[in-house]
Amino acid sequence: MKNEVIAVIGWITLVQGVLGAGGQIFGDKAWGLLQKWWEIPTAGYVVLALAGLVLAVWGEGAKKRAKA
């Protein structure tokens, strides 16, 4: 159960980071929900995307190891 929660949080963080960075790079403002509450620089969104990727990979790998 814990691994599934970590994976979901990772995927959500990854998507929000990619949307925010993509919006600031290819548009005039960030996309996603975080831009409604905070002003995050592009580098911050990239860090969020990388952190989300790490959590998602770790959570998915832990789920597979738990099933085996």
Side-chain angles (χ1 to χ4, degrees), residues 6 13-14 16 21 24 27 32-34 46-48 53-55 67:
I6 290 172
T13 306
L14 174 64
Q16 289 299 310
Q24 288 184 345
L33 287 175
L34 296 180
V46 171
V47 170
L48 281 172
L53 179 64
V54 168
L55 286 174
K67 284 184 181 180

Side-chain angles (χ1 to χ4, degrees), residues 31-47:
W31 303 322
L33 287 175
L34 296 180
Q35 58 92 18
K36 293 182 184 280
W37 299 305
W38 299 288
E39 289 186 31
I40 302 172
T42 305
Y45 279 115
V46 171
V47 170

Side-chain angles (χ1 to χ4, degrees), residues 9-32:
I9 290 171
W11 285 114
I12 292 170
T13 306
L14 174 64
V15 168
Q16 289 299 310
V18 169
L19 285 174
Q24 288 184 345
I25 292 170
F26 299 112
D28 58 345
K29 72 175 201 170
W31 303 322

